[in-house]
Amino acid sequence: MKYDVIIIGGGQSGLASAYFLRRSKLKYVILDSEKTCGGSWQHAWDSLTLFSPSEYSSLPGWLMPKSDNMFPARNEVIDYLCRYEERYKFPVERPVEVKEVKKVGGSFQIIATEKTYVSRSVISATGTWNKPNIPNILGKELFKGKQFHSANYKIPAVFQDQKVLIVGEGNSGAQILAEVSKVAKTVWSTLKAPEFLSDDVDGRVLFDVASDKYYAEQKGEKFNASQYNLGNIVMVPSVKEARARGVLTSKGHFTRIYKDGVIWEDGTKEAFDSIIWCTGFGYSTAYLSTIVSEDEKGKIRTNGTRAVEVDGLWLVGYGGWTGYASATLIGVGRSAKHTVKEVEEYLKN
Ligand code: FAD
């Protein structure tokens, strides 16, 4: 069977794309490597919450149900994604991991673990979670303790009574530090001094700023977003509480790793039991490398969401790269809608 569109990835970005596709007459399917619904939210740490209230965290068409919490918990997000998928009866095949995409003639061959699918176009919506980034620090392989990435951090109890180094000045670093510091002795290492948003700024404000930036650029106007740096740390309740305990201070950065720990810039050594790298992600697009050139992060050349080097390929949900705020629940709808319009146009010709 030949599809018109295959969406690779069944997280929020894949579902938002499917929402607009289901109104078309196009034959499409979603291929997702997870065993069940919920995308990468299934792998996030247990205490993770959204940084916006539910009414600011909805996919197109159906509002996220109200939560008892100001910021919905990870399980509520998973539940919402599962119910969203069920509500619209999207055709999703799981678990199907796409290994490689080829283009033969005018069609794509999507080579998955057990089967090859054929489609006239592809929407890649595989997020970032499968491509954790750990910087290349000298001596990393010598460390005898345990190393984790925020992508596989679940609960603080694992670190009970240890001495733990938490690396990274983003939201993940601050949130994981906040809870691990309750059960372990922690040190925070950052490349630059961590910057915090004011207490009254949450995802709502950040989304509004991202939208203003988007509309200004659509009109060819300059936009000064310096008032809020979208990458600064959001003061969610756990981070505020950590600030009150005085643990939100960075020791700066280290230059190398040795067998027991790290060597700080001034040459002093410090031993640790574990290191948690909260150093972000690349893009989970390795399966496209046969048909497009990727940089080391997995980024390819695009115009909006459309691949420049290959006709018939789009990428949705990768944040600033393929659409302002498109890595958020509320932001991905705009990007998905626009993409599906382009796909429909493309398939007409
Ligand atoms: P994913 O959720 O990663 O879904 C991609 C799917 O594709 C997964 O199911 C994956 O298994 C599958 N896949 C990957 N590779 C393949 C393959 N080769 N073949 C088949 N399937 C594949 N957003 C907000 O809106 N609000 C927040 O408060 C918020 N907080 C966040 C906090 C953290 C710490 C992080 C990391 C992200 C946060 N986000 C937040 C961002 C966003 O919601 C997530 O990044 C989201 O998971 C992105 O959705 P996605 O569908 O693009 O990717």
Side-chain angles (χ1 to χ4, degrees):
M1 159 151 57
K2 185 168 177 174
Y3 289 94
D4 293 316
V5 192
I6 285 188
I7 300 173
I8 308 175
Q12 62 201 40
S13 305
L15 300 185
S17 304
Y19 174 83
F20 293 105
L21 269 179
R22 78 184 249 289
R23 297 167 164 182
S24 71
K25 296 245 164 359
L26 298 173
K27 204 181 323 157
Y28 73 96
V29 67
I30 303 174
L31 307 179
D32 186 41
S33 55
E34 292 297 332
K35 287 202 185 81
T36 181
C37 45
S40 292
W41 284 96
Q42 295 172 84
H43 302 293
W45 55 92
D46 284 8
S47 66
L48 183 65
T49 69
L50 288 174
F51 50 66
S52 318
S54 53
E55 59 272 28
Y56 261 71
S57 308
S58 296
L59 289 172
W62 183 50
L63 288 179
M64 182 179 221
K66 278 229 165 301
S67 167
D68 290 339
N69 309 307
M70 163 89 161
F71 300 124
R74 163 185 164 267
N75 283 345
E76 293 175 278
V77 180
I78 295 170
D79 186 53
Y80 172 58
L81 293 177
C82 291
R83 288 169 63 192
Y84 186 87
E85 185 176 315
E86 174 58 31
R87 180 184 179 95
Y88 296 111
K89 305 266 177 284
F90 295 132
V92 190
E93 294 192 17
R94 287 195 180 94
V96 175
E97 185 180 354
V98 174
K99 299 285 191 189
E100 188 182 4
V101 174
K102 287 185 182 169
K103 195 148 188 206
V104 182
S107 300
F108 290 92
Q109 284 188 354
I110 291 105
I111 301 156
T113 337
E114 289 180 0
K115 188 173 155 188
T116 293
Y117 298 77
V118 180
S119 179
R120 296 169 65 206
S121 67
V122 168
I123 297 177
S124 170
T126 42
T128 58
W129 204 265
N130 293 347
K131 184 134 173 142
N133 173 59
I134 296 185
N136 256 335
I137 304 233
L138 218 59
K140 201 167 60 182
E141 68 293 344
L142 302 176
F143 184 59
K144 294 232 167 66
K146 288 204 164 148
Q147 298 188 58
F148 300 80
H149 186 274
S150 60
N152 41 50
Y153 166 82
K154 290 302 274 182
I155 47 167
V158 172
F159 303 95
Q160 185 79 42
D161 301 328
Q162 290 191 10
K163 184 157 178 209
V164 183
L165 179 67
I166 290 156
V167 189
E169 62 259 16
N171 283 296
S172 309
Q175 289 184 27
I176 291 174
L177 171 71
E179 62 183 27
V180 174
S181 60
K182 286 184 174 171
V183 301
K185 189 162 173 16
T186 49
V187 174
W188 194 15
S189 170
T190 61
L191 266 184
K192 58 180 183 65
E195 292 182 61
F196 303 95
L197 290 163
S198 59
D199 284 10
D200 56 338
V201 172
D202 61 26
R204 286 171 283 200
V205 179
L206 296 180
F207 180 70
D208 289 344
V209 174
S211 295
D212 290 349
K213 189 172 171 200
Y214 170 79
Y215 291 120
E217 292 193 5
Q218 292 291 302
K219 287 191 244 156
E221 294 168 359
K222 278 223 155 95
F223 180 74
N224 179 6
S226 58
Q227 190 192 356
Y228 298 113
N229 184 337
L230 302 179
N232 287 357
I233 295 165
V234 182
M235 298 308 290
V236 295
S238 63
V239 177
K240 280 186 196 156
E241 186 276 332
R243 178 180 60 193
R245 271 189 289 124
V247 295
L248 279 191
T249 49
S250 166
K251 189 161 174 177
H253 83 278
F254 52 90
T255 51
R256 331 170 42 134
I257 297 185
Y258 73 109
K259 68 179 177 44
D260 297 322
V262 301
I263 304 175
W264 296 98
E265 262 192 313
D266 65 2
T268 53
K269 288 180 164 181
E270 188 166 4
F272 290 96
D273 299 304
S274 297
I275 300 175
I276 310 177
W277 297 97
C278 304
T279 39
F281 297 84
Y283 305 100
S284 313
T285 54
Y287 52 89
L288 293 175
S289 63
T290 307
I291 51 167
V292 281
S293 30
E294 299 186 348
D295 69 10
E296 72 285 356
K297 283 192 135 188
K299 198 168 174 176
I300 69 167
R301 279 176 57 223
T302 48
N303 183 0
T305 56
R306 190 174 194 152
V308 171
E309 288 173 40
V310 182
D311 274 346
L313 170 65
W314 281 262
L315 296 102
V316 172
Y318 298 92
W321 165 28
T322 62
Y324 290 117
S326 68
T328 63
L329 286 155
I330 192 172
V332 69
R334 179 164 57 203
S335 196
K337 184 176 183 182
H338 182 73
T339 299
V340 169
K341 231 189 229 165
E342 286 189 358
V343 173
E344 286 180 303
E345 279 302 312
Y346 168 80
L347 292 175
K348 258 191 232 155
N349 300 322

